[in-house]
Amino acid sequence: DAGITQSPRHKVTETGTPVTLRCHQTENHRYMYWYRQDPGHGLRLIHYSYGVKDTDKGEVSDGYSVSRSKTEDFLLTLESATSSQTSVYFCAISILSSYNEQFFGPGTRLTVL
Amino acid sequence: AQTVTQSQPEMSVQEAETVTLSCTYDTSESDYYLFWYKQPPSRQMILVIRQEAYKQQNATENRFSVNFQKAAKSFSLKISDSQLGDAAMYFCAYRSANHMRFGAGTRLTVKP
């Protein structure tokens, strides 16, 4: 357990509404990540952060923005949700070790109607 | 860009038997890391085993072991003495620098 929580755990929203997902960690890890999981695609990186106010895009960043104003919190925002953004969203942190392995939060299931 | 391929969408194994899950990847890099993650119905992603590309020795964690063939870009997972609790989705992942890429996953069913 790397001390990662995500909120909310489930959310149903309507097309066109803004949505913000929160990832919170308790161990001051520098690197944080947002992924989405879809059948047939595994996990795909949306955005990542390498420090406070330092973020970069992943392979599926269109329609998403992120912010990190504190080390412990990494927010993912869907400015105007679409049905194609219905997915399970995972936050992850990276342990700075020889492997730099990633550990994941419990996930958020988002449904956009 | 690196790609990770898991060619077996579904596998099944009898309890107490051995099963091997396949994973291949494509990269031009020489320094990287490989991982297998397990995702049970709870949806939690659990790290099962990891391998550094420069290490020739195959990693082992209890009943889980890998067969790492660097030249063939293959990284298979062997589960010995399968247990009902091993039933899950298994994801192979490749990591270099700060980026990790995942395969599409293999759903493993364990039959009692």
Side-chain angles (χ1 to χ4, degrees), chain B residues 1-2 6 21 43 49 63:
Chain B
Q2 298 84 11
Q6 293 180 249
L21 308 184
R43 205 166 66 200
I49 199 165
R63 297 182 295 107

Side-chain angles (χ1 to χ4, degrees), chain A residues 9-10 31 33 35 37 40-43 45 48 59 88 90 94 98-102 104-107 109, chain B residues 33 35 37 39 42-45 47 50-52 55 89 91 95 97-105:
Chain A
R9 295 293 311 280
H10 300 86
Y31 287 87
Y33 307 81
Y35 292 88
Q37 181 182 12
H41 292 279
L43 277 74
L45 182 65
Y48 69 99
E59 61 178 304
V88 178
F90 284 95
S94 182
S98 59
Y99 290 92
N100 288 340
E101 60 263 50
Q102 294 184 6
F104 290 81
R109 179 175 294 280
Chain B
Y33 305 88
F35 304 88
Y37 284 86
Q39 186 181 44
S42 66
R43 205 166 66 200
Q44 182 69 51
M45 293 288 287
L47 179 63
R50 57 193 185 183
Q51 174 84 40
E52 294 169 278
K55 285 188 176 179
M89 283 289 289
F91 293 97
R95 181 186 175 100
N98 294 321
H99 297 280
M100 185 173 279
R101 288 193 179 269
F102 289 82

Side-chain angles (χ1 to χ4, degrees), chain A:
Chain A
D1 182 0
I4 308 167
T5 57
Q6 293 184 229
S7 60
R9 295 293 311 280
H10 300 86
K11 186 171 181 66
V12 180
T13 190
E14 294 188 351
T15 298
T17 60
V19 176
T20 295
L21 308 183
R22 178 181 183 242
C23 177
H24 179 78
Q25 55 132 337
T26 59
E27 299 180 3
N28 287 326
H29 297 293
R30 181 181 172 192
Y31 287 87
M32 299 183 74
Y33 307 81
W34 276 108
Y35 292 88
R36 60 178 290 173
Q37 181 182 12
D38 304 291
H41 292 279
L43 277 74
R44 292 179 292 174
L45 182 65
I46 304 171
H47 281 279
Y48 69 99
S49 170
Y50 46 96
V52 173
K53 298 186 179 178
D54 291 324
T55 65
D56 205 350
K57 296 179 179 180
E59 61 178 304
V60 291
S61 60
D62 287 349
Y64 302 95
S65 62
V66 290
S67 65
R68 192 169 179 199
S69 58
K70 299 185 291 184
T71 299
E72 59 265 35
D73 289 326
F74 191 31
L75 304 181
L76 177 70
T77 297
L78 291 66
E79 300 290 348
S80 178
T82 67
S83 58
S84 65
Q85 294 175 313
T86 292
S87 188
V88 178
Y89 291 85
F90 284 95
C91 175
I93 58 91
S94 182
I95 302 289
L96 289 181
S97 68
S98 59
Y99 290 92
N100 288 340
E101 60 263 50
Q102 294 184 6
F103 292 91
F104 290 81
T108 294
R109 179 175 294 280
L110 175 67
T111 302
V112 183
L113 301 176

